[in-house]
Amino acid sequence: MSLPRVSIQTEDFDLSREIAALRQGQPGVGAVCSFVGTVRDRNEGDAVSTMELEHYPGMTEKSIEAMLDEAFRRFDIFGARVIHRVGLLQPLDQIVLVAVTSAHRGQSFQACEFLMDYLKTQAPFWKKEQTPAGARWVDARVSDDAALARWGIAASNA
């Protein structure tokens, strides 16, 4: 049984298990690139005690599936997997996994970076941090929009 390409979940994920599942039955895979994003204990100079992520079930998965379709159009890749956690997270917790397989490293690196840039700016997630000054919503950064622009995609989130 193969795993879905996109999972939105509250529970943590196991990187080794996810990579093994993505590679299973793929003898042509010569490269696997993965990115794991984690909760930091500081943001914009302030201490962060927790981060809470919200999403719209169904809409979020559909949006990320479209991103994956675009990655498959742009890059010569065999497989891709995105896991994004929601709910209440603590510093050091894993938030997101992007994993990509291909015959050669260049395509895997590019597709993984493209997907992460796309996720940071276009995925419908809302993040709220708890700081000593209280709760605050996390907005997109100008640098996130610039990262997506290098792929020829305009965004104006920041």
Side-chain angles (χ1 to χ4, degrees):
M1 180 179 123
S2 65
L3 293 172
R5 296 191 315 174
V6 176
S7 295
I8 308 299
Q9 60 194 47
T10 55
E11 62 274 359
D12 200 4
F13 54 85
D14 180 309
L15 177 62
S16 295
R17 194 190 99 214
E18 295 299 332
I19 297 296
L22 189 60
R23 293 181 57 211
Q24 187 174 4
Q26 299 281 335
V29 169
V32 179
C33 184
S34 65
F35 172 85
V36 175
T38 60
V39 178
R40 292 184 308 269
D41 66 349
R42 299 196 71 73
N43 189 26
E44 297 179 6
D46 296 319
V48 173
S49 59
T50 63
M51 176 183 282
E52 189 169 2
L53 287 96
E54 299 177 3
H55 77 299
Y56 285 126
M59 184 178 95
T60 303
E61 292 87 345
K62 185 176 179 180
S63 173
I64 297 172
E65 284 285 353
M67 294 173 198
L68 286 167
D69 290 342
E70 183 62 21
F72 276 92
R73 277 191 288 279
R74 288 174 178 246
F75 307 100
D76 187 14
I77 58 177
F78 296 142
R81 175 102 165 104
V82 173
I83 299 174
H84 208 298
R85 294 182 65 199
V86 293
L88 191 62
L89 301 172
Q90 312 290 325
L92 299 175
D93 285 350
Q94 299 181 125
I95 304 171
V96 62
L97 165 67
V98 174
V100 178
T101 60
S102 66
H104 303 285
R105 72 180 181 272
Q107 293 295 296
S108 283
F109 275 121
Q110 287 182 321
C112 189
E113 194 167 17
F114 168 80
L115 286 166
M116 198 57 230
D117 288 345
Y118 211 136
L119 279 166
K120 278 292 274 187
T121 58
Q122 303 300 304
F125 290 101
W126 293 268
K127 300 174 185 177
K128 183 170 47 175
E129 296 174 334
Q130 285 293 336
T131 71
R136 68 179 179 204
W137 292 98
V138 179
D139 294 324
R141 296 180 177 99
V142 171
S143 60
D144 294 332
D145 287 347
L148 191 60
R150 71 190 167 118
W151 303 106
I153 300 171
S156 58
N157 297 297

